[in-house]
Amino acid sequence: MLQLNNIDKTQLSEPIAQFLNEMELKHAKLSYCLTVSAVQNPMREQYWQLRFHDARFNDADGVDHVGVVEWTYGKRSDNEYKITSRKIQNDRFGHWGNEHSSQRTKDVKKALKIAMTNLLPFEWHEISNKGRRNAENAHERWAREDSNTAKPFNMGTETVYEEVKHLKSLGVQFKTDAFKNAAAGIEAYEEYRRKLEVKARFHTVIDRGEKIIYIKDGHALQPEEFSALDPLPESTRNAIALLKLVNKDQLLPEIGYRSGENTYFILV
């Protein structure tokens, strides 16, 4: 079904109102639910966007909308529908542009067919993949935040030669500032190297209240579903308890990453 979010149909442009009415009829027969909101172009009042969202998530979950239907400008100054979705791959355009994920048509029935085919709820692995990238990036930033500890070890050939020659003749004393700094920073550098060895691999846990989705690292297309957290490994439950103490979209080093309100990425 389709849930309208504060939409006054009398304010919509005629093409968008017609499309929305047709889509409501189609969605009445479906088992899944989308919510839809309407946004008007402030510069051109006849242009509207319908933004479709997965009804299982709210704004606090940080989940993108599943797609957009617009009444907008087209070729030769004609207006047309533009449908944008992650499911669309328009190879006439490059991957870097918005048009690659869009299709256009002037016909409302064609627009409806494109929308019904491509504006679909997210799969669990899609939710996991988006948060996983954020988790991996946060982990990488943490691992490399002390990269300056490697600077004392970036020594030129002459410096190394001079120090080795000096050590050969005198033994244990360091002569150059470069080697003195390197000796003083050995522990910090070893810790930096250790952090780089911690691989950004995560198990995903999505807590939906009545359902727990558990996706093991490397098994994105094989999610497991439980009615509670109890079947999960104790280490995973302990990590979730700690991650609940931090803000969303935040890394807890060597524990995991909290993505949104109820999605957790547990470091393997």
Side-chain angles (χ1 to χ4, degrees):
M1 60 179 294
L2 199 62
Q3 293 181 350
L4 274 57
N5 185 9
N6 297 323
I7 294 179
D8 182 354
K9 290 185 178 179
T10 63
Q11 300 298 313
L12 300 176
S13 61
E14 191 278 330
I16 283 291
Q18 182 185 2
F19 175 89
L20 184 57
N21 288 333
E22 294 282 349
M23 196 160 188
E24 279 190 289
L25 293 175
K26 291 285 188 181
H27 262 264
K29 303 176 183 179
L30 300 179
S31 59
Y32 62 83
C33 180
L34 298 179
T35 60
V36 56
S37 57
V39 179
Q40 186 178 30
N41 187 319
M43 304 300 294
R44 297 188 177 184
E45 295 183 354
Q46 74 273 29
Y47 292 161
W48 284 80
Q49 279 190 357
L50 294 176
R51 298 178 180 178
F52 294 84
H53 303 263
D54 191 323
R56 296 172 297 174
F57 305 98
N58 55 42
D59 292 340
D61 292 315
V63 177
D64 295 333
H65 42 249
V66 300
V68 174
V69 175
E70 301 176 67
W71 180 248
T72 185
Y73 64 88
K75 295 179 180 179
R76 301 182 180 88
S77 300
D78 291 334
N79 297 328
E80 60 188 11
Y81 294 101
K82 178 182 177 182
I83 303 93
T84 303
S85 168
R86 72 196 188 284
K87 295 287 189 180
I88 296 174
Q89 293 187 8
N90 191 341
D91 292 330
R92 293 171 55 199
F93 301 94
H95 288 262
W96 56 87
N98 172 267
E99 295 291 340
H100 179 74
S101 300
S102 301
Q103 286 183 255
R104 291 174 177 263
T105 179
K106 297 177 183 178
D107 185 271
V108 65
K109 294 192 178 298
K110 290 182 179 179
L112 185 64
K113 182 177 180 181
I114 296 169
M116 293 297 297
T117 302
N118 295 287
L119 303 187
L120 302 173
F122 289 103
E123 300 288 345
W124 289 119
H125 69 86
E126 292 181 291
I127 301 296
S128 171
N129 287 344
K130 180 179 183 295
R132 180 182 295 271
R133 285 191 293 271
N134 293 336
E136 290 170 347
N137 290 337
H139 178 91
E140 187 72 12
R141 289 193 298 270
W142 165 78
R144 297 191 176 278
E145 64 185 0
D146 297 323
S147 60
N148 60 338
T149 61
K151 289 181 179 179
F153 297 92
N154 295 330
M155 293 173 277
T157 303
E158 290 302 317
T159 301
V160 175
Y161 168 75
E162 184 179 350
E163 188 64 31
V164 170
K165 183 177 180 180
H166 177 69
L167 290 174
K168 185 175 181 180
S169 61
L170 299 179
V172 297
Q173 296 183 12
F174 292 100
K175 177 182 178 182
T176 63
D177 288 340
F179 268 78
K180 290 177 182 179
N181 292 337
I186 282 178
E187 290 184 358
Y189 180 65
E190 289 177 345
E191 172 62 9
Y192 169 63
R193 291 174 59 191
R194 185 195 69 79
K195 287 165 66 174
L196 290 179
E197 291 297 319
V198 181
K199 302 301 181 184
R201 297 173 52 216
F202 298 93
H203 298 319
T204 306
V205 178
I206 304 173
D207 186 350
R208 301 301 302 164
E210 77 287 350
K211 182 189 297 183
I212 305 297
I213 294 87
Y214 180 52
I215 305 176
K216 293 182 180 179
D217 176 66
H219 296 78
L221 300 181
Q222 298 173 325
E224 301 177 57
E225 296 188 5
F226 303 102
S227 59
L229 292 171
D230 295 343
L232 300 181
E234 181 180 3
S235 59
T236 299
R237 299 198 306 271
N238 291 341
I240 292 173
L242 291 172
L243 288 170
K244 286 183 177 181
L245 301 177
V246 303
N247 295 326
K248 64 179 182 178
D249 301 325
Q250 184 171 334
L251 178 78
L252 194 57
E254 301 189 73
I255 298 296
Y257 180 86
R258 183 177 183 180
S259 175
E261 289 293 331
N262 300 300
T263 301
Y264 308 93
F265 292 87
I266 313 302
L267 190 71
V268 178

